[in-house]
Amino acid sequence: MSRLSLTHLPVAPAVDPRALSVGIVHLGLGAFHRAHQAVVTERAAVAGGETRWGITGVSQRSGRVRDQLAPQDGLYSVLERGLGDPSVQVIGSIREVLTAPEDPDAVVARIADPAVSVVTLTVTEKGYRAAGHGLDLDDPEIQADLTGRPPRTVVGQLAAGLARRDEPLTIVSCDNLVANGPFLRKLVTDYFEALGKVPEVFETTRFPASMVDRIVPATTDADRDEAARLLGVRDEAVVVAEPFLQWVIEDDFAGDRPAWERGGAVLTGDVAPWEQAKLRMLNATHSMLAYLGALRGYETIAEAVRDEELSALARQLMTEDVVPTLTAPDGLDLTEYGASVLERFANPALKHRTTQVAMDGSVKLPVRMLGTVRDRLAAGAEPRVISLAVAAWMVYVLKTPIVDDPQADRLKAALAGAPGPAAVVDALLGVDSVFTPDLRDSTAFRELLIDHVSSLTAGSDTSVR
């Protein structure tokens, strides 16, 4: 079977990829970007007939994505799996792929290119190399970038590109961080201050906040076979996604931008209510189901949701602990949103693995769960269900031989020799990169955690009483 390419293209595209010039740089060329921002950008180009918003995608780790896309002229497909028959769409908005470890100078040159007016990011929470509310200046990779090497970190790449620009730039974080735009601005500011020089263009650079949502599980061989059947050609870069897609962007740009609203995005003056609802309802519930589901031996999130007890706990988490902390954005019914979250998680076609969602818990917990804990404690409430979710992470770290987490060694070292539930809780509460002093010092939170860890390690009922 022929391989997908401009020569072997099943359907003629509405916008010829060869006509696209690069106007966007995207850092973090994983499956999520290819199933989300690149799709919206393509739809916007088709709707508006624009050709200046091709994407240079930057892989921050390996050349695997480049090696998949290069023989296919940058083309790939998105295989949508819903409750009905699957569908597939070929995407051509990615026009260039760079691999940062192999050619960091090329990455900086693209960010500095005056034809580029927007940089977007999906590098996961750990890719920002933050410590608390600022940049981790003790991080060895940040230190190495600051010495003047061709930058390997995301913040270093942005700073080096900005330092070579005269034209303003808009940098859009699409990662699950609270107020991700202002937060990224703070990290870049910290970097420039450490260098001792802030370029003039930084004053006009904009960092709008954004919120993204789409479930994108890892692609399997069966998915590649399904895409080949539907396309009639082989696609080694296919990504899988649910039909649902959401992108809410703060309308604060330094210059020209794609007409993303034509591709389905929402431009708004305030992303925060959308962001909080998504992080605390969808992402926190996703993580809780991943930890509890993995502890029960479930391979996928859909299997975990089909467990009546875990499904009930997920509903309790949202209705009892999360919703009281939120202000609903205009047009969003939180009750309906919560129900839709569980419906999406239950999609058996996605096969989103519990271990995939459970990755990087030490950086996800502060963003997804601990704000809810603080708000409930401040309101004088007992945050029993959200505490169960945190306890499930603790037990997952305790029982999983190899934890996929940037702080895995520190977490395992803290747990070494912990003799029982109270010691486990105290050991992990003592990890200051995860838990702040107010939570460590909360007797109510600690006692809830000990109660839940005791139940989970004993293998007893996880219901919340």
Side-chain angles (χ1 to χ4, degrees):
M1 181 179 287
S2 299
R3 189 164 174 179
L4 176 66
S5 67
L6 288 169
T7 303
H8 300 101
L9 192 57
V11 179
V15 176
D16 187 345
R18 289 165 292 196
L20 295 177
S21 60
V22 170
I24 303 169
V25 171
H26 182 82
L27 306 181
L29 191 58
F32 185 84
H33 167 69
R34 286 179 282 147
H36 192 281
Q37 296 90 15
V39 171
V40 177
T41 301
E42 174 116 339
R43 291 174 181 172
V46 170
E50 293 185 291
T51 60
R52 61 165 297 193
W53 299 115
I55 300 169
T56 289
V58 179
S59 175
Q60 296 293 327
R61 290 184 289 185
S62 74
R64 184 179 61 85
V65 176
R66 177 204 56 212
D67 295 343
Q68 290 175 340
L69 291 177
Q72 301 182 178
D73 300 316
L75 302 178
Y76 66 95
S77 60
V78 177
L79 179 66
E80 287 192 2
R81 290 193 179 277
L83 297 180
D85 293 334
S87 63
V88 69
Q89 176 189 6
V90 175
I91 302 297
S93 55
I94 296 175
R95 292 294 81 222
E96 179 183 42
V97 177
L98 301 176
T99 302
E102 297 177 6
D103 196 354
D105 287 324
V107 176
V108 173
R110 261 309 187 191
I111 295 172
D113 184 349
V116 169
S117 60
V118 177
V119 174
T120 55
L121 299 87
T122 51
V123 296
T124 76
E125 294 93 332
K126 65 184 177 183
Y128 290 81
R129 299 182 183 271
H133 298 292
L135 186 65
D136 184 0
L137 293 172
D138 294 325
D139 183 287
E141 293 297 312
I142 292 291
Q143 290 181 340
D145 281 2
L146 286 168
T147 64
R149 73 169 182 182
R152 301 289 183 87
T153 69
V154 167
V155 172
Q157 291 162 0
L158 293 173
L162 284 168
R164 290 170 51 179
R165 289 185 68 96
D166 296 318
E167 304 80 7
L169 186 67
T170 300
I171 301 173
V172 186
S173 169
C174 302
D175 285 296
N176 289 323
L177 299 163
V178 176
N180 51 15
F183 181 69
L184 181 54
R185 173 180 277 279
K186 174 65 166 60
L187 301 185
V188 178
T189 299
D190 290 347
Y191 189 93
F192 280 133
E193 289 179 348
L195 282 176
K197 183 178 181 181
V198 180
E200 186 175 330
V201 74
F202 190 58
E203 294 302 314
T204 55
T205 298
R206 311 308 298 165
F207 290 81
S210 80
M211 185 275 284
V212 298
D213 189 5
R214 196 175 206 189
I215 297 173
V216 182
T219 302
T220 66
D221 288 339
D223 296 323
R224 280 182 276 271
D225 291 342
E226 182 78 60
R229 182 184 67 80
L230 293 170
L231 290 169
V233 293
R234 189 77 182 172
D235 177 9
E236 295 300 333
V238 61
V239 293
V240 182
E242 64 173 333
F244 181 91
L245 187 156
Q246 185 180 43
W247 192 6
V248 182
I249 313 168
E250 181 184 4
D251 195 0
D252 181 23
F253 287 77
D256 292 342
R257 64 167 178 84
W260 278 320
E261 64 273 28
R262 292 184 177 182
V266 173
L267 277 292
T268 180
D270 187 7
V271 173
W274 296 90
E275 171 191 81
Q276 286 287 75
K278 192 253 182 174
L279 287 172
R280 295 191 177 192
M281 294 187 75
L282 184 143
N283 292 121
T285 304
H286 215 196
S287 289
M288 183 178 78
L289 287 168
Y291 298 125
L292 290 175
L295 292 173
R296 289 195 173 188
Y298 295 128
E299 183 179 351
T300 68
I301 295 294
E303 291 172 349
V305 175
R306 288 198 294 271
D307 183 310
E308 292 184 3
E309 185 181 8
L310 297 190
S311 180
L313 286 169
R315 289 189 183 88
Q316 282 183 270
L317 174 67
M318 289 187 280
T319 59
E320 295 180 13
D321 277 342
V322 175
V323 168
T325 72
L326 298 175
T327 299
D330 291 341
L332 183 65
D333 182 297
L334 293 177
T335 301
E336 292 179 0
Y337 180 65
S340 73
V341 163
L342 293 183
E343 288 176 6
R344 292 167 59 199
F345 289 169
N347 182 351
L350 290 179
K351 302 188 186 306
H352 208 178
R353 299 194 310 274
T354 53
T355 52
Q356 181 187 5
V357 180
M359 291 169 53
D360 305 334
S362 68
V363 288
K364 289 177 178 176
L365 250 67
V367 176
R368 299 182 176 195
M369 297 184 186
L370 300 186
T372 298
V373 174
R374 288 190 190 89
D375 287 351
R376 295 296 281 157
L377 290 171
E382 187 179 58
R384 288 198 65 83
V385 195
I386 192 71
S387 296
L388 171 63
V390 177
W393 169 74
M394 291 180 164
V395 176
Y396 180 83
V397 172
L398 176 69
K399 291 192 171 186
T400 304
I402 301 175
V403 178
D404 193 341
D405 191 288
Q407 300 188 68
D409 292 343
R410 183 177 182 183
L411 298 173
K412 288 295 188 180
L415 289 170
V424 168
V425 169
D426 289 339
L428 291 178
L429 281 178
V431 179
D432 57 9
S433 55
V434 181
F435 297 97
T436 48
D438 60 319
L439 294 180
R440 286 197 297 275
D441 296 341
S442 170
T443 300
F445 183 45
R446 178 179 179 273
E447 289 179 350
L448 285 168
L449 290 173
I450 293 172
D451 183 28
H452 291 314
V453 169
S454 298
S455 297
L456 291 169
T457 53
S460 61
D461 190 345
T462 55
S463 62
V464 179
R465 296 176 287 273

